Each structure stands twice: as structure tokens, then as C-alpha cells.
Amino acid sequence: MNIVVCVKHVPKCAEAEIRIDPTGRDIEKHGLVYDINEWDDYAVEEAVRIKEKFGGSVTVVTVGPEEANSTLRKCLARGADNAIRVYDPKLVGSDPYVIAKVLYKVIKNLQFDLVLTGVMAEDDGSATVGPMLAEFLKIPHATMVKKIELKDHKAAIVHRELEGGLMEVVEVKLPALFAIQTGINEPRYVSILGIRRAMQKEIKVLGLKDLSLDESEVGYAGSWTLIDKLFVPPAEKVCQYLKGSPEEVATQILGILKSRGLF
Amino acid sequence: MDFSFTKEQELLRNSIEEFCKKEVDPYVSKWVKERSFPRDLLKKLSNIGLTGMNIPEELGGSPLDNVSQGIVAETLGRHELVAPIFLTIFGFARLLPFIVDDEVRGEVIGKLLRGELLIAGAFTEPGCGSDAAAITTKAEKLGDVYRVKGEKAFITGAPIADVFIASVVTGSSDKPHRNISLLLIEANRRGVEPYELESMASDLKGEFGGVIFDNVEVPVGNLIGMENLGFYLLMEEFNILRVLIALSSLGLAERCLEEAVKYAKQRTAFGQPISRFEAVSFRLAEHWTKIQCAKLLAYKALWLADNKKPYMAEAAAAKWYGCEEAFSTVNDVIQTFGAVGYTKDYPFERIFRALRGLLIGDGTSDIMKLIISRLLFGKGYSP
Ligand SMILES: Cc1cc2nc3c(=O)[nH]c(=O)nc-3n(C[C@H](O)[C@H](O)[C@H](O)COP(=O)(O)OP(=O)(O)OC[C@H]3O[C@@H](n4cnc5c(N)ncnc54)[C@H](O)[C@@H]3O)c2cc1C
């Protein structure tokens, strides 16, 4: 099984104070800590587990500046075999469509049975790169994947996590692309030996020319969508009183927590 | 001059931080509440190679240079790594490769690498601490065994240790330093009697205590290094351990400081965030500055050691200044939080107690100044 995993180097916003930058279209990145996108972490782990079971190799691909190497190195330390980074200053401003196209240009030249992505990226939450990439590659895809069972090298049974705790089981022909949901596995910790191994591997860097892409096809120029405005909505305080016996109130609280995805 | 860490070291810091956020942070207060010592943490640390940091590759370890170990110590320190595990992996593990008998060495190191070995360093005695060469625990050589008799006190992890590395008197020259050897003494040998001591910071069961060696017979192959030269081996290992202890307490103090900064921005008094009172913000700004100074000093000491240059004065300075500053920071962090910082709902009171011990353990601040003075003034002019 040769597996390609698409990973993104993202600012960790959950614990940080977020400010909008002067363009009004992006967040202030200065001072933010960057790391691998949480969903991608699970995708890499899943790929490494499949490789450990069936053999083959894991190649991680990212589109991003030099700093994104740290995310690739982390993947190598966790057991990925190869790493590829695509970058050109002209890529700044690329929307998910462009990113999917760039990834397609890289991956079409690789041998693969499976392509894994995260369901979405923590920073822009668009959740579209995976499906678009599958379309470019003309292979089937499944999103929200919470379990992968490989029947043979020809097909996979995947469990998709739907809203409200529903699970859908689908059989997908290979090669295919799966967008991985968090919780599919327990990503391993990076070990000292893993780090040592990672440092001995090279990160292959590709530019637009290597992918036969023209400047006009990428960045703002090549994008189909453009962020118009980014803002922090004013905080609204809503106070909801629950009525009933303690048991009833407890049930209602549980319902609220579940509906907000907090439980 | 280049102050940057390597990419490898950055990945190391990031990975340890991630490990601690998942494997330590959620459990610390539970361990303390239940007084249960987290032995399984040792196992988990071994899975990522940290019990092998001080073991050469040919013995199965995953060695790290001293600066990298500083990064690990600072990061684990940020997350309150418990003292017995800290001392085992950063300190006493360094001595295991010097065990004389091949088989014993292989077996003990194997256990360490699997996360099954907690080591206590038994040097201090009821009658002497700073004057570490004045010990009275004797090891008499009888054929192929040493018979060990004496008592060690104030030992981190004594009641729960699997093995002790003990300093014992084996020689009879007129120079006490030249009479001391280090012995590996398994806790399950007959006559080994560990006991518990309650200290101001022994929050976990078995964290602190002593041990009586009542005519314990130990094979001569359990000798560590050369007979009668144990004191020097020990001092060398303490030099590095000291710096790592300083970095771990500074890591912890810095994390507390970060919490205090957040709190001071949220807490209001007299109509404004308390951070707007200079008394509050200057105090934290001063600690931030001193922590940075201390960390630079500590990393410099480790860098000197890695580059085979003398580092003893820097190590001693990093230990006293770093540990005193860490303690003082947490004291002011509690002040910043006010009464709530003094309660057990917050970790600061426990950290305050733990950091207090580090002004004594592993060489008191006075002894550190003694070391610096001797190097500064030379023989005949120093205390
Ligand atoms: C938290 C903690 C953990 C410890 N863990 C261990 C352990 O794992 N293994 C172990 O063997 N020991 C351990 N110890 C013991 C520790 O190493 C000793 O307490 C320390 O070396 C000091 O010795 P002492 O307590 O006998 O004090 P003393 O040596 O009696 O000193 C008493 C006072 O006199 C001062 N003093 C002594 N000599 C001089 C001098 N020449 N110049 C100036 N001042 C001097 C000291 O600074 C101190 O203030 C631990 C102690 C603590 C607090």
C-alpha cells in the first residue's frame, strides 16, 4: 500500500488570542504557534498504521513556506518515509481550489493506492481540499472517515461519521481518497529515535516550474474564491433557564452539550 | 554567536510538550489528591526513548547531548515531572553504563530502557550532606561480595526505588574523597530496609525517605566505576544534573508566570485589570527577565559541557540562581493571584513547596557559591 497524506502547517488558534490583521482578510499571524493541522495528525497516524500492517510507503505532501518543514519533519518522525513541500511566493492567497490543484500536480506523478487528508483544516475550516483533489485525480472519495478496513488492494470498507452519532459504512474502490476524522486512532508520540530518523531524511522541495504551473494559475490570480472580510462577531450573551426536576434538568443539559458537540 | 536551537531540538521540545499535555497535565492533580506515584509514567517516557537519554547507543539507548537534555528537562519541568522519575532519567541513569559486571549492567539498563527501573541515589546520611565525603556507610570486601552497613537519609524515592546507587566507604587512605565507591544495591536484597519520610513536598506516596543497609551483601560486579574513585564520578554527574534541575524548575516557574500574566489581565480591582498596577506588572516583568538570564546561563553551562570545556562555575551558578529565581517567581505568582493562589484549587502552593526543596537538594545554594568562590578566588583565598 503506497499512501500519500496531505498535511497542512497551521497556526494553533484554539488557545491563542486572535486579532484581525490590517487587511481585514486574515488574522494577525505574528506570535502564533504553528503545528500540524489536528485532523492531518490522525491521517498520518492512520497511514503509518496501514503501512506497518501491509507494507508500502507513506509520503507526506504540504503546500507551504519553509517553516512548514517542521510539520513535515514531525510526520517523518512518526513514521512517514518521504516528504514533499511545494512552495512559491506566488502561492500566497491561494484558495482551496488552487491548493487542491497544486496537490494534484504533485500526486499524479506518485504511485499511490490511497490518498489521505484531514476532514478539514483548523485555520480556514473549508473542508473542500480533499474532495476537490479526488475530483482532480479522478478517484472516488469518502469524507468524515472514522475507520478504514482494507479488503485487499482493490477496495476498502470505510465507516463515515455522520451528524447525530450515525455511522455509515461504504465500500470504496481503490485507489481512493479518504478525508480522515479526528479520533480514528490515537496518534503516537514522537520518540527520540523517530526524531533522529526524521533528521536523516530529506524534504523534497518543488516549485511552480517543477509542476508545470503558471503564476496565473495560483495565488490570488488563480483562485475561484476570495476572502472579502474576516471579523470577530460581537459576543452575545444568552441566558437560558432550565425548568423541571433535577433529573429532567440533567437530561436537558446533556442534550444541550450533545447538540453543541461538547459531549 | 548563535542562540538558536537546532531543528532537531525544536522538534524535540514540541514533541515532549505534546506528550506532557496528554499524559501528564490531565493527571497531576489526581496523583496528588490520591498520593499515588505515577509509575506508569516512567513506562510511557520509556516508549518515547527518554529513559535511554543517558545510555549509549551500543547499550541500546537513544543518547541526547546535554543541551537537548536541557530542553527535555525544561519541558518536563513545565509539567511538574515528579522528582524520583526526574532524577532517575536525567541523573542516576548516567552512572549505569559504568557498572563493572557485564551481565548486571545489561540487565539493569534493559529494565531502565523498558521503563521498569526507578533509581534512588543514596549519598546523604543522617550525619552528613554537603560534606559528602564524610559518609560512614561502609562496604567491606569479603571475597566476591561487599558487605554494606549504614544508613542513608533524605533520599528522593527511597521507599519506591527498585535499585539504589549508594556512596560507600571502601578505602582507608587519609583523604576521605579517595575512599569512596559507588555501588548498585537492588532494593530486594536482604537487609535493605527503606523507610518513608514526610517532607514539606512529599505529596506522592514514597517520594521521600531513607534506607538502612543492614549488612547487605552485594556482588563485587555491582561496583560502579573504579573502587575508591566513586566520589569523582559522582561529582561529575552532579555537575550536569544540577543544571538540568535548574532548567526544570525554571520551566515550571515560567509556566506559572504565564498563568499569572493571564490572570492579571483578567482580574480587576479598583476598576481596572490588576496588570495596570505597576506593582503587579513590574514584579512579573522582573521575574521574566531573571528567568531568561538564568535559562541562558543554564544552557551555556550545558553547551560548554557538550563542547568539552570547563563548566563547573556556570553549572553551580545556574543551580543556585536558577532554583532561587524559580522559587521566588512562584512566590510572587501566588502574590499575584491573591488568596485564590494560596488555595489547593491552584497548583501554585504545591509548586512553591516543591521548589523550596531544590535550594537544598543536590547541593545547597551555599555550596554552589562555595564552588564558584573556589574557582573565583583560588586556593588560599576562598572559604
Ligand atoms: C528535596 C530534597 C531531595 C533530596 N534528594 C536527595 C537524594 O535523592 N539523594 C541524596 O543523597 N540526598 C538527597 N537530598 C539531601 C541533600 O543532598 C542534602 O540535604 C544537601 O546536600 C545538604 O545536606 P544537609 O541537609 O546534610 O545539610 P548540611 O550539609 O548539614 O548543611 C546545613 C546548612 O549549612 C550550610 N553549609 C554546610 N556546609 C557549608 C559550607 N562549607 N559553606 C557554607 N555553608 C555550608 C548548608 O548550605 C546548609 O544551609 C535531598 C534533599 C532535599 C531537600
Side-chain angles (χ1 to χ4, degrees), chain B residues 83-84 87 92 119-132 152-158 165 167 199 201 207-209 234 238 241-242 353-370 374 383:
Chain B
L87 294 178
F92 309 136
I119 314 169
F123 316 116
T124 307
E125 297 185 354
C128 71
S130 302
D131 189 2
K152 299 288 178 176
F154 319 118
I155 308 302
T156 301
I165 291 177
S167 55
S199 78
E207 223 179 331
F208 203 56
L234 197 58
F238 267 127
L241 180 57
R242 260 167 207 155
R353 289 184 284 109
L355 290 179
R356 182 62 186 84
L358 300 182
L359 309 188
I360 304 170
D362 261 298
T364 66
S365 295
D366 303 320
I367 295 299
M368 296 304 107
K369 290 174 197 173
L370 182 69
R374 284 189 180 156

Side-chain angles (χ1 to χ4, degrees), chain B residues 172-232:
Chain B
S172 54
S173 81
D174 53 358
K175 292 214 174 72
H177 304 92
R178 301 230 161 177
N179 298 334
I180 293 172
S181 303
L182 297 180
L183 277 185
L184 177 86
I185 305 180
E186 295 85 349
N188 59 8
R189 283 196 184 275
R190 209 164 67 195
V192 177
E193 296 163 13
Y195 59 87
E196 180 139 9
L197 281 172
E198 291 239 12
S199 78
M200 84 189 266
S202 49
D203 286 319
L204 307 178
K205 193 148 177 35
E207 223 179 331
F208 203 56
V211 58
I212 293 166
F213 298 121
D214 180 11
N215 291 305
V216 182
E217 293 198 347
V218 182
V220 288
N222 278 28
L223 182 69
I224 297 176
M226 300 218 276
E227 200 178 58
N228 296 332
L229 292 180
F231 187 79
Y232 303 98

